[in-house]
Each structure stands twice: as structure tokens, then as C-alpha cells.
Amino acid sequence: LTLNNTGNFVLAQNESLVWYTNNSHKQAQNPVAVLLDSGNLVIRNDGETNPEAYLWQSFDYPSDTLLPGMKLGWDLRTGLDRRLTAWKSPDDPSPGDVYRDLELYSYPEFYIMKGTKKVYRFGPWNGLYFSGVPDLRNNTIFGFNFFSNKEESYYIFSPTNDVMSRIVMNESTTIYRYVWVEDDQNWRIYTSLPKDFCDTYGLCGVYGNCMTTQTQVCQCLKGFSPKSPEAWVSSGWSQGCVRNKPLSCKDKLTDGFVKYEGLKVPDTRHTWLDESIGLEECKVKCLNNCSCMAYTNSDIRGAGSGCVMWFGDLIDMKQLQTAGQDLYI
């Protein structure tokens, strides 16, 4: 493994090139390679301390592990997608087909994917936590945040109380957070996702709400009924629910909204986001658009702010026991 004068690592075996870094957008002057205390292996110009000016860093290319200070998500300026990818198997570290990725919808969100199939959805960021993972915020082990603007969109976490933790993704589509236990000199599982049956992506089909507290976990939303009642009774929920009465869409006085509380909000693939308007204006906009099916605040901090609207069928909702969001359907 050599570091060349253009500021790139080159890995070779018997004169044949195996792998190399591709730093083409920054000028190298006397480059050095340093392994930082954070675990980040960086190539930088000698004496450079600004992370933005690093020529290359391993933190931009995660494997199956996310460490404190690593960004998970997109650098939109360069098109760099930092995603977690599971190993093929416990003893084969080559990239498998399971990964955690940030989809850049109008209201962006993270998924666990297996190939092109969505396996688990974290829910969009609501200012406090990801919609489907409210218990994240009540921990004393790590602080976390999600940033999204025109230049970058990413999740990041940092330790609190000097407790070291890391996130690891495996080939069985599970994400684990491990904490270092000093007494045992060992890594212990602190939490894992997906958590329960209702975390299976789209389990209840469209307009179905998943409730772990019910014997029949899938329930149609108010005003909807199972598309196939026979299949529904025998837990065949994939066809989802259909509206009992079609929306009139001509007479705004007869169409209204039902407020749901404590929800993991639906998949945000077909959404529209406006952070500059509030709930009331959001309602008017949704009512005036025939294909708008639901709306809520995009940020639930304080009294709530911003507007997000859903278009087309709503899928992958879950009734949460604690916290969760309001959704007007």
C-alpha cells in the first residue's frame, strides 16, 4: 500500500493494481496519511486540520459499520452516497445485497434494502427523531441529528457520557447498536432494528395501520375496508384497504380529514414539503388538490411547523405506543 504524490492510496500486488482512491477534485501538496483517534483514516496536506479540506477520508466510504462522527447520507455537491452495506456473510466481508440508504424524496428518509426491495423504513426526520423510532430520543448513550439542505443530507451521532457505541448492519437485514462495556471489556447489543412484526415494510398494504397491541395486527383506517375480506381474515393483508365512499373532490364541504395520533407516518416517496407554511395553510393546500391524501407538520418541535403532503396511496403506517406523530388523512 503506497501513498502517491497526487494524494491517493494505491494498493498493488506483484505490480498489478488491486485498488486505489480517486481524489481528483482537490490539489495535493505534500500529502500525508494519518489514522485519527476517531478511527477515520485520512489523506491530507501536511499541517491541514480542516476536515473539509481532506484529500480523502475512509469515513466517506462506510462498510457495515457506522462510528461516531461519520455521516450517513449524501454529499449532494459531489454526488457521494455514504451508505451502510452488510457483509455477504459473517465470514465474507465483500459487499452483500443488504444496505441502509437515504432516499432523497421531497421529505427524505432511510430504508433498509435487500436488493431493490424495501425491508424496513425508519420514517422521515420530524425535528426530534425518525418518525418510526421515537425511543431514540430517550437514551443517555448517544446524541444524534439529521441535517438536510441543498448541499448535504445526512444522519450523524456522537457519544454522551463517554459511552462508546457503534452501529453494525448484517446480512439478515438487522441493524444493531453495540455499546462498549468497560467492566466486561466487551461489546454488548444495546438495541436493534427492525423491532417487531409491524416493522415489516408495507405489511398491511395500502391504507392499513399496523398495531402490535391487536390480535389482528392490521386494521383499516376509518372510512376504509379490506380490499379482500376473505384474505384479510386469514392474515392476507398485502392487498390493503379501499375507501368505502369515493372522495367527491368537487365539494370541499363534504371532504374532510380524520386526525390520527401517535403514528409512524406513511412512506414519503410521493410527498411535497414546504417548511415555510404551517398546519392551517397545509390543510387548505391539501383540500384544494384532488390527489392529496394526507398532511401534517414536517417538524413537530414546540407547537409544530412546516407542511408535508402525501399524494397517492398511503402505505407502511404503524400505531406507536409512545410518542408518534399526528397525521390528517
Side-chain angles (χ1 to χ4, degrees):
L1 179 68
T2 55
L3 175 65
N4 66 18
N5 58 7
T6 62
N8 284 298
F9 277 132
V10 179
L11 185 66
Q13 184 171 3
N14 305 334
E15 303 295 309
S16 71
L17 191 63
V18 177
W19 173 85
Y20 62 94
T21 60
N22 185 9
N23 162 46
S24 52
H25 55 281
K26 285 179 181 149
Q27 193 63 44
Q29 291 153 336
N30 198 17
V32 295
V34 188
L35 181 60
L36 305 178
D37 286 345
S38 61
N40 194 5
L41 177 63
V42 306
I43 302 172
R44 62 189 185 193
N45 290 323
D46 200 13
E48 181 61 71
T49 54
N50 176 16
E52 292 291 318
Y54 290 164
L55 302 173
W56 181 87
Q57 56 177 347
S58 65
F59 269 21
D60 279 341
Y61 303 93
S63 55
D64 66 338
T65 300
L66 191 73
L67 297 176
M70 282 174 85
K71 293 176 179 179
L72 189 64
W74 290 82
D75 183 334
L76 299 167
R77 296 161 294 198
T78 60
L80 176 70
D81 177 13
R82 311 179 195 88
R83 56 163 72 164
L84 285 188
T85 306
W87 289 15
K88 263 197 182 129
S89 71
D91 53 5
D92 180 355
S94 58
D97 64 347
V98 173
Y99 59 96
R100 174 179 173 175
D101 201 23
L102 177 63
E103 292 290 345
L104 295 170
Y105 304 143
S106 181
Y107 196 29
E109 59 179 332
F110 282 102
Y111 294 84
I112 296 177
M113 307 286 293
K114 185 170 175 64
T116 55
K117 188 170 171 251
K118 292 174 175 177
V119 174
Y120 170 72
R121 186 176 66 91
F122 289 76
W125 179 255
N126 60 26
L128 292 174
Y129 52 85
F130 295 111
S131 181
V133 204
D135 49 354
L136 268 186
R137 64 192 178 139
N138 294 330
N139 81 85
T140 54
I141 302 233
F142 58 95
F144 60 94
N145 218 328
F146 179 75
F147 297 93
S148 194
N149 56 33
K150 286 187 174 65
E151 296 189 337
E152 290 188 287
S153 201
Y154 64 88
Y155 163 79
I156 194 166
F157 78 92
S158 56
T160 51
N161 303 328
D162 291 335
V163 179
M164 285 309 297
S165 73
R166 62 190 171 107
I167 291 171
V168 179
M169 166 142 222
N170 75 11
E171 76 288 351
S172 72
T173 69
T174 306
I175 282 191
Y176 293 98
R177 182 179 287 274
Y178 293 92
V179 293
W180 178 254
V181 182
E182 196 59 44
D183 293 352
D184 301 351
Q185 290 288 294
N186 210 344
W187 290 100
R188 187 181 294 162
I189 294 173
Y190 172 72
T191 182
S192 66
L193 289 167
K195 263 193 167 50
D196 57 49
F197 198 43
C198 281
D199 282 339
T200 309
Y201 180 82
L203 181 73
C204 299
V206 296
Y207 301 109
N209 189 10
C210 200
M211 305 182 175
T212 49
T213 52
Q214 305 285 332
T215 41
Q216 177 81 316
V217 295
C218 288
Q219 303 282 329
C220 288
L221 299 173
K222 281 178 201 151
F224 292 80
S225 301
K227 186 171 182 186
S228 167
E230 302 78 34
W232 197 266
V233 171
S234 54
S235 304
W237 302 303
S238 61
Q239 292 181 54
C241 307
V242 288
R243 209 176 275 283
N244 298 337
K245 279 193 213 152
L247 292 174
S248 79
C249 229
K250 292 182 181 65
D251 183 0
K252 292 192 191 65
L253 298 172
T254 61
D255 288 343
F257 295 92
V258 176
K259 179 184 180 182
Y260 283 82
E261 295 180 6
L263 278 192
K264 171 185 180 176
V265 298
D267 189 305
T268 65
R269 183 174 179 185
H270 303 294
T271 48
W272 176 87
L273 175 69
D274 186 342
E275 291 173 314
S276 69
I277 63 174
L279 209 56
E280 206 45 49
E281 206 177 326
C282 199
K283 177 183 180 176
V284 173
K285 272 195 186 315
C286 190
L287 210 47
N288 281 319
N289 188 321
C290 235
S291 47
C292 180
M293 291 297 152
Y295 73 92
T296 192
N297 280 136
S298 54
D299 190 330
I300 64 169
R301 285 176 294 184
S305 64
C307 164
V308 60
M309 303 190 331
W310 277 260
F311 297 91
D313 293 336
L314 307 177
I315 193 163
D316 198 43
M317 286 168 282
K318 177 181 175 182
Q319 192 67 50
L320 298 166
Q321 301 313 303
T322 54
Q325 287 173 252
D326 295 343
L327 183 69
Y328 298 85
I329 296 176

